[in-house]
Amino acid sequence: MTQNGDVIWYEIDLADRIGAVGGAWNAFALDNNGEALVGASVIGTSIFDHIAGHFTKRFFREFLANGRSSSQSKRTYRCDAPDRKRLMEMRAETTCDSRLRVSHTITEELPIERAVFVTEVGRSGLADHVRCSLCNRLRFRGSNAWREPDAAVPDGGSVRVIHTVCPDCRAEVSARALWPRPS
Ligand SMILES: [Zn+2]
């Protein structure tokens, strides 16, 4: 079980291939139904094989490029579990052997009373919601409103999504600024 303050990290080479993973990586993968991502199975794969959505990939590419050019890049984002909102901080730093070490730290958590299970379906025609990869808010197809998962699906249950990056996150509003304060 992962918790606040846990750090998950991996190192990638100039071709974005994963060379090493560590910290709470395995616990985090198992917590999030990521059995396929545990340990050695991801070594040698491209980080982009594990990221869904055109805009998310583009954002992440920029984040990595920024880390490589300025030697450090930092950003908050959300990585919710079905029953928990999680605010994360992502940081990319160049190592002495010119790899990039990307680390993710859980900084805050809030419970989701009625669990919301999210499945990425790959094609927009199959999805009922669009989900922002960075703030994890959901937009019902045909609506313009981006809402917290527990506001979008108040009774809980399953949603079928495709991933994108919402206008707030494209405008670099931080996930911390969008983080809902407990009432
Ligand atoms: Zn967003």
Side-chain angles (χ1 to χ4, degrees):
M1 184 77 120
T2 46
Q3 57 195 4
N4 271 4
D6 275 353
V7 181
I8 299 117
W9 63 262
Y10 43 88
E11 286 183 359
I12 55 176
D13 64 14
L14 290 169
D16 301 323
R17 279 186 304 261
I18 300 171
V21 300
W25 175 283
N26 283 347
F28 193 76
L30 290 170
D31 255 15
N32 295 284
N33 297 318
E35 283 84 0
L37 296 177
V38 168
S41 62
V42 297
I43 304 296
T45 63
S46 166
I47 190 66
F48 289 99
D49 292 344
H50 310 291
I51 297 173
H54 168 76
F55 281 106
T56 313
K57 284 190 162 92
R58 193 167 83 179
F59 161 81
F60 198 66
R61 224 176 271 287
E62 284 166 13
F63 176 79
L64 297 180
N66 195 24
R68 284 180 175 120
S69 64
S70 69
S71 83
Q72 186 174 310
S73 181
K74 199 164 90 169
R75 170 106 206 206
T76 55
Y77 72 103
R78 288 268 292 277
C79 183
D80 291 358
D83 61 350
R84 271 177 294 165
K85 300 181 187 187
R86 282 190 295 224
L87 186 66
M88 309 276 297
E89 186 179 273
M90 168 166 78
R91 191 187 276 268
E93 292 163 286
T94 45
T95 66
C96 54
D97 54 359
S98 59
R99 290 187 188 199
L100 202 59
R101 176 182 279 231
V102 183
S103 52
H104 302 254
T105 311
I106 303 172
T107 60
E108 296 208 39
E109 287 190 312
L110 281 175
I112 295 176
E113 297 288 331
R114 297 183 178 157
V116 178
F117 295 88
V118 175
T119 306
E120 159 69 44
V121 290
R123 279 197 295 134
S124 65
L126 300 174
D128 42 56
H129 285 78
V130 181
R131 185 185 198 226
C132 176
S133 303
L134 293 181
C135 66
N136 281 189
R137 290 182 302 171
L138 295 166
R139 179 172 69 73
F140 187 67
R141 292 187 64 204
S143 155
N144 287 324
W146 290 88
R147 293 184 293 178
E148 285 292 319
D150 46 2
V153 194
D155 294 331
S158 300
V159 287
R160 293 142 58 89
V161 307
I162 52 161
H163 280 88
T164 187
V165 177
C166 78
D168 285 334
C169 291
R170 278 184 219 177
E172 309 250 326
V173 177
S174 76
R176 183 174 291 284
L178 297 169
W179 178 249
R181 303 260 62 96
S183 48

